[in-house]
């Protein structure tokens, strides 16, 4: 009888098509490694979408999960430079290197990409199969919990690289979810002069205040409150805004808080169409940028974690065994105090 | 208050041929009155720049005759202080007595070709206010920058050197993850290390022959500090980049040997900025095939801070600049202060002119 392992499987989008069950232990190809998963974080966006509409990159059936840490259990015959037992994580994005985007040096827009937890089986399982070229060693001073944030931190590094912060700039971060907190911490190490977080939950802002981020608690029913609080800190407005709430109304608010010539980067996914009052944006020559992924950002993200530029420990709000994955997912999606839920096989 | 004040003057330049140093004197002169759009600053601190000591060493090449013709000359261009009196019109720009300030020693004309094309640092009609080492100065409002509340007057005096380092680090395009090399562990080099660190450089190597300065470099955020005169320094430095070379190289030692060494650690598509007062006759040999063609390196020159004071004051609260100021003297102790400066052993030496918060 062939070997099996426990894994979460979505046969199709939607909870009704999902189950926790025994599946075949993965077969390791020559250029691959099998990693025994130590811990795997829930991504509210992607893992929430599997549970409803599915993700655009996915092919089903699939095991979700793309933020993880673990130990190498097996190595393919052609793999060199790695040893069984090493502590690792892996970049879930596998770019083809062949398509026009990849060959233009823009592999973030690869048209034949394979993503763990979308169209490759992911880490909500006892073991996960990855390309050895995508492995990264866990620095000695980081735990598996911390390294499981390498992927979300990579996405934030990507955002800050696209924003191209200049020395002394004042940057406002809208939203203090998991990503908002990581983004604000990273901005403190990206040359910004001041970082101001604007969000509605005091306890999340309190986390940021520990890292030297200025905070404004917003009134969700009256945006003029945080906009005027911001003007009292920076009468001319801010140089850049990072929008990490995904709310169209907050995008408009962000543009109102920008200086002329400023730029707003959309980090959070906007699920609804957006209507903008363009006159002041046009008249102020304000720019709208977006950041939706990570590409080649893992090394910097791991370094930011290892150097303590990003402290992710306060973000871990709950932990569930793999057997109770769906309970953990429900909590991550519906408890507004939740920042990050970790799943332990 | 008396109507006289003390001010330091360079009264003679050094003569390298006869190994004689230039002379400094503390003189008494009238306290200046601010005119239209000017303020009088009660100076708190003024720091010594390498260029101040250069006059005392002499050997200024083509500048020698020009500088000599201006003797005796006032000294100092790194300043912090408190506005003591506002001239007519200055208030309309938002300045008032008691404001804590620093400033750009260059008063730009805002009329010449360079001022009107965004290159004010090259202003052909700038009035140079090299007079910070005195009890009071009168500067134009266009030269002033407000110090953030969190920044002490002692730290604020380093705004000018910080703006120089900031210009260099921007020119070298230091980014998240960049590998950075800094040649020269003086004040400018230390501030460049701190800024690169703040911008997310993933590795910073300092090259500096003086051990105490290498130690200070590590304190400012360098990951490694090498003695460039030790055998194998280049090989050691390359190891830190996995043999790939550095993305950004900041040469601020002014030493010909360092400028040459910088060319040996360039990474692919890297940027090197050469920003020091080099010996006037020194020519750097660049192998165009290896450096410019094969490595696609970008070699930059730089003159001064290019008026980036507005960014420098915003960065001051974020950088612990204090360890740079290793000696503090009263103006009367100028002989000892310049002797220490010429010894090359100290990163920054400050004159405390009016101690912090002192009101008459």
């Amino acid at each position: 009888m062939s070997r099996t392992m426990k894994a979460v499987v979505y046969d199709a989008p939607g909870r009704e098509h999902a189950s926790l069950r025994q599946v075949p232990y993965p077969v390791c190809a020559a250029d691959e490694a099998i990693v025994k998963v130590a811990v795997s974080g829930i991504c509210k966006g992607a893992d929430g979408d599997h549970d409803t509409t599915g993700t655009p990159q996915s092919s089903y059936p699939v095991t979700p999960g793309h933020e993880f840490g673990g130990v190498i259990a097996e190595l393919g015959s052609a793999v060199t430079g790695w040893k069984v037992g090493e502590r690792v994580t892996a970049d879930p994005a596998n770019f083809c290197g062949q398509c026009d985007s990849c060959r233009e040096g823009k592999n973030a827009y690869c048209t034949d990409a394979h993503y763990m937890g979308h169209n490759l089986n992911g880490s909500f399982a006892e073991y996960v199969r990855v390309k050895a070229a995508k492995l990264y060693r866990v620095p000695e001073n980081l735990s598996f919990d911390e390294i499981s944030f390498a992927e979300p931190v990579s996405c934030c590094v990507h955002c800050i690289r696209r924003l191209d912060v200049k020395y002394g700039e004042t940057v406002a971060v809208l939203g203090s979810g998991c990503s908002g907190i990581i983004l604000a911490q990273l901005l403190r190490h990206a040359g910004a002069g001041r970082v101001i977080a604007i969000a509605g939950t005091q306890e999340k802002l309190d986390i940021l205040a520990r890292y030297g981020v200025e905070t404004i608690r917003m009134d969700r029913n009256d945006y003029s409150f945080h906009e005027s609080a911001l003007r009292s800190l920076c009468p001319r407005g801010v140089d850049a805004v990072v929008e990490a709430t995904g709310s169209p109304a907050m995008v408009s608010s962000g543009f109102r808080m920008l200086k002329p010539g400023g730029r707003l980067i959309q980090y959070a996914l906007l699920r609804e169409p957006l209507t903008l009052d363009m006159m002041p944006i046009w008249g102020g020559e304000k720019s709208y940028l977006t950041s939706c992924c990570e590409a080649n950002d893992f090394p910097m993200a791991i370094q930011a974690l290892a150097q303590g530029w990003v402290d992710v420990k306060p973000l871990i709000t709950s932990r569930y065994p793999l057997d109770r994955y769906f309970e953990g997912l429900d909590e991550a999606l519906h408890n507004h105090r939740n920042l990050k839920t970790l799943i332990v096989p | 208050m008396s109507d006289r004040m003390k001010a330091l003057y360079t009264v003679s330049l050094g003569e390298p041929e006869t190994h004689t140093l230039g002379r400094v004197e503390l003189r008494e002169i009238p306290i200046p009155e601010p005119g239209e759009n000017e303020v009088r600053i009660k100076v708190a601190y003024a720091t010594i720049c390498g260029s101040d000591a250069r006059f005392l060493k002499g050997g200024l090449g083509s500048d020698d005759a020009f500088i000599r013709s201006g003797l005796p000359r006032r000294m100092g261009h790194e300043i912090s202080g408190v506005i003591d009196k506002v001239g007519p019109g200055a208030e309309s720009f938002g300045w008032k007595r008691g404001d804590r300030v620093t400033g750009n020693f260059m008063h730009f004309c805002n009329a010449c070709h360079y001022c009107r094309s965004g290159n004010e640092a090259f202003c052909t009609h700038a009035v140079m206010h090299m007079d910070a080492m005195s009890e009071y100065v009168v500067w134009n409002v266009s030269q002033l920058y407000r110090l953030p509340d969190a920044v002490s007057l002692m730290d604020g005096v380093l705004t000018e050197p910080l703006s120089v380092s900031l210009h260099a680090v921007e020119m070298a395009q230091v980014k998240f993850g960049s590998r950075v090399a800094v040649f020269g562990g003086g004040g400018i080099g230390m501030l460049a290390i701190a800024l690169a660190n703040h911008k997310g450089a993933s590795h910073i190597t300092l090259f500096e022959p003086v051990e105490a300065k290498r130690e200070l470099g590590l304190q400012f955020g360098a990951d490694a500090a090498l003695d460039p005169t030790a055998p194998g320094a280049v090989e050691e430095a390359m190891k830190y980049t996995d043999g790939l070379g550095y993305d950004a190289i900041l040469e601020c030692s002014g030493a010909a040997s360092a400028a040459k060494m910088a060319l040996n650690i360039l990474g692919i598509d890297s940027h090197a900025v050469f920003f020091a007062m080099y010996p006037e006759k020194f020519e750097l040999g660049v192998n165009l095939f290896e450096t410019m063609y094969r490595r696609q390196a970008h070699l930059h020159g730089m003159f001064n801070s290019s008026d980036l004071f507005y960014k420098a004051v915003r960065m001051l609260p974020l950088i612990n600049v204090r360890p740079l100021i290793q000696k503090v003297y009263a103006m009367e102790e100028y002989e000892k202060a310049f002797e220490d400066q010429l010894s090359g052993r100290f990163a920054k030496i400050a004159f405390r002119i009016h101690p912090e918060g002192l009101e008459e």
Side-chain angles (χ1 to χ4, degrees):
Chain A
M1 192 180 121
S2 61
R3 187 176 173 187
T4 62
M5 65 171 187
K6 209 184 305 174
V8 173
V9 181
Y10 280 78
D11 290 306
R15 177 75 62 94
E16 64 277 24
H17 302 293
S19 62
L20 179 79
R21 63 186 192 229
Q22 289 296 126
V23 300
Y25 178 84
V27 177
C28 185
D31 61 345
E32 292 180 336
I34 306 295
V35 177
K36 185 174 197 306
V37 178
V39 67
S40 182
I42 290 181
C43 167
K44 293 179 192 184
D47 299 328
D49 283 354
H50 281 305
D51 214 45
T52 51
T53 55
T55 73
Q57 312 92 332
S58 285
S59 58
Y60 294 90
V62 72
T63 292
H66 57 274
E67 308 174 359
F68 76 105
V71 172
I72 297 178
E74 194 182 330
L75 288 166
S77 56
V79 178
T80 56
W82 295 95
K83 290 199 298 283
V84 169
E86 281 192 281
R87 301 190 322 138
V88 293
T89 185
D91 181 348
N94 294 265
F95 303 118
C96 74
Q98 308 292 327
C99 70
D100 288 342
S101 293
C102 280
R103 299 206 298 177
E104 285 170 5
K106 296 174 180 168
N107 50 18
Y109 319 126
C110 174
T111 52
D112 190 22
H114 287 78
Y115 297 99
M116 251 174 89
H118 294 273
N119 50 359
L120 292 173
N121 282 331
S123 52
F124 294 128
E126 289 178 273
Y127 294 88
V128 64
R129 183 175 65 111
V130 299
K131 292 283 181 206
K134 289 288 166 182
L135 287 174
Y136 289 89
R137 276 185 189 89
V138 183
E140 275 180 22
N141 65 335
L142 294 180
S143 64
F144 287 126
D145 282 2
E146 289 167 295
I147 204 66
S148 73
F149 284 84
E151 194 275 345
V153 173
S154 293
C155 294
C156 296
V157 165
H158 186 75
C159 173
I160 284 165
R161 284 178 158 158
R162 282 182 59 73
L163 187 61
D164 192 14
V165 180
K166 302 284 191 294
Y167 278 119
E169 285 189 327
T170 300
V171 185
V173 178
L174 312 186
S176 62
C178 183
S179 295
I181 291 175
I182 293 170
L183 285 161
Q185 289 189 62
L186 280 174
L187 282 163
R188 293 270 299 146
H189 296 278
R194 296 173 76 179
V195 182
I196 302 170
I198 302 173
T201 311
Q202 189 59 45
E203 63 208 57
K204 295 180 183 177
L205 290 173
D206 289 344
I207 294 176
L208 282 171
R210 288 186 229 159
Y211 307 112
V213 173
E214 296 170 70
T215 62
I216 296 174
R217 185 171 176 190
M218 63 179 288
D219 178 345
R220 291 193 176 89
N221 300 312
D222 180 6
Y223 287 9
S224 72
F225 177 79
H226 70 256
E227 289 174 19
S228 61
L230 182 109
R231 291 283 167 179
S232 70
L233 290 176
C234 325
R236 298 171 56 224
V238 297
D239 298 290
V241 168
V242 180
E243 207 299 297
T245 71
S247 144
M250 282 300 278
V251 178
S252 295
S253 177
F255 275 113
R256 285 194 293 272
M257 291 186 282
L258 273 182
K259 270 182 199 170
R263 56 217 191 277
L264 184 148
I265 190 158
Q266 187 65 46
Y267 180 83
L269 167 65
L270 287 169
R271 290 174 189 271
E272 301 156 47
L274 174 66
T275 304
L276 284 174
D277 177 9
M278 280 307 292
M279 187 61 199
I281 296 172
W282 178 81
E285 290 196 332
K286 298 177 183 179
S287 306
Y288 196 6
L289 309 169
T290 61
S291 176
C292 75
C293 60
E294 53 91 11
N296 312 322
D297 300 300
F298 251 65
M300 187 63 205
I302 292 172
Q303 174 136 22
L305 285 162
Q307 299 218 355
W309 293 349
V310 179
D311 178 10
V312 292
K313 291 189 292 294
L315 299 175
I316 303 167
T317 43
S318 63
R319 188 186 301 268
Y320 286 82
L322 183 58
D323 289 336
R324 291 166 59 201
Y325 172 77
F326 296 102
E327 270 176 70
L329 182 62
D330 284 338
E331 194 208 297
L333 297 179
H334 305 303
N335 177 353
H336 78 278
R337 292 183 191 282
N338 178 281
L339 287 166
K340 179 65 74 182
T341 294
L342 297 183
I343 300 296
V344 183
Chain B
M1 148 175 155
S2 125
D3 58 354
R4 309 278 291 172
M5 68 168 191
K6 295 187 200 104
L8 283 173
Y9 279 83
T10 305
V11 294
S12 67
L13 299 186
E15 307 286 351
E17 304 77 34
T18 57
H19 300 286
T20 33
L21 289 177
R23 249 173 359 94
V24 177
E25 272 181 24
L26 186 64
R27 296 186 170 184
E28 279 228 342
I29 54 170
I31 293 178
E33 281 298 313
E36 191 171 358
N37 293 342
E38 290 180 337
V39 303
R40 186 168 69 201
I41 302 168
K42 185 173 176 180
V43 181
Y45 292 89
T47 26
I48 302 177
C49 168
S51 61
D52 296 315
R54 195 164 160 263
F55 295 144
L56 302 183
K57 279 187 190 162
L60 304 176
S62 58
D63 289 340
D64 195 274
F66 171 72
I67 303 280
R68 216 170 273 281
S69 70
L71 293 177
R73 54 181 281 142
R74 298 278 292 276
M75 303 183 78
H77 59 274
E78 302 173 0
I79 192 170
S80 68
V82 177
I83 293 178
D84 164 71
K85 187 170 182 182
V86 292
E91 218 144 3
S92 71
F93 289 93
W95 300 103
K96 60 179 191 311
R97 187 182 144 83
D99 285 348
R100 300 159 70 253
V101 295
T102 182
N104 185 348
F105 61 93
M106 291 179 80
H107 176 199
F108 303 123
C109 75
N110 290 319
C112 72
H113 167 75
Y114 296 109
C115 279
R116 300 202 299 178
S117 55
N119 253 328
E120 292 87 347
F122 296 90
C123 174
T124 52
H125 291 65
V127 178
M128 304 299 231
H129 288 248
M130 307 291 251
D131 54 8
M133 293 174 189
S134 58
E135 291 183 83
Y136 296 89
V137 298
V138 164
W139 285 20
N140 189 276
V141 290
S142 65
Q143 298 173 260
L144 300 183
Y145 294 88
R146 200 177 296 283
L147 286 176
D149 293 342
V151 175
S152 68
L153 288 167
M154 190 166 171
D155 292 345
V157 71
L158 296 177
T159 307
E160 193 272 345
L162 184 63
S163 68
V164 171
S165 303
L166 195 150
H167 189 203
V169 177
E170 283 197 337
M171 192 170 268
Q173 301 192 23
V174 172
K175 297 186 178 79
F176 244 30
S178 292
R179 286 150 159 174
V180 180
V182 176
F183 286 88
I188 298 291
M190 294 299 160
L191 295 171
I193 289 170
L195 285 166
N197 205 27
H198 200 277
K199 196 90 163 84
S202 62
H203 178 91
I204 304 171
T205 298
L206 168 66
F207 290 87
E208 164 60 49
V210 177
E211 192 184 352
K213 291 182 176 177
R214 290 201 297 274
E215 292 291 320
L216 189 62
L218 296 172
Q219 198 181 326
F220 268 80
D223 299 281
L226 298 173
D227 178 355
T229 63
V234 165
E235 292 70 22
E236 184 68 19
M238 289 299 280
K239 270 192 221 159
Y240 301 136
T241 66
D242 308 316
L244 296 172
Y246 288 80
D247 303 305
I249 295 170
L250 304 161
E251 202 307 285
C252 52
S253 74
S257 56
K260 284 180 186 160
M261 194 181 269
L263 297 178
N264 295 325
I265 58 168
L266 291 162
I268 296 291
D269 206 23
S270 58
H271 295 263
V273 186
F274 297 85
F275 62 119
M277 289 179 165
Y278 293 100
E280 205 171 5
K281 296 276 160 56
F282 169 60
E283 291 193 9
L284 178 67
V286 179
N287 180 321
L288 293 177
F289 175 79
E290 177 58 29
T291 304
M292 305 305 268
Y293 168 65
R294 197 132 74 178
R295 301 204 79 79
Q296 195 181 293
H298 310 268
L299 306 186
H300 305 262
M302 197 188 112
F303 177 51
N304 66 14
S305 80
S306 197
D307 202 23
L308 296 180
F309 283 70
Y310 74 101
K311 293 187 185 183
V313 290
R314 292 178 198 168
M315 294 309 291
L316 268 173
L318 303 169
I319 293 175
N320 180 18
V321 298
R322 182 61 63 84
L324 266 192
I325 301 180
Q326 297 177 323
K327 289 273 180 182
V328 182
Y329 288 107
M331 269 200 296
E332 289 76 8
E333 300 172 290
Y334 63 88
E335 283 183 343
K336 181 77 181 119
F338 284 105
E339 193 185 308
D340 280 351
Q341 175 67 33
L342 289 168
S343 78
R345 289 188 296 131
F346 305 101
K348 266 308 193 192
I349 294 166
F351 287 110
R352 178 187 280 129
I353 296 170
H354 286 110
E356 202 124 350
L358 186 83
E359 286 295 314
E360 68 262 43

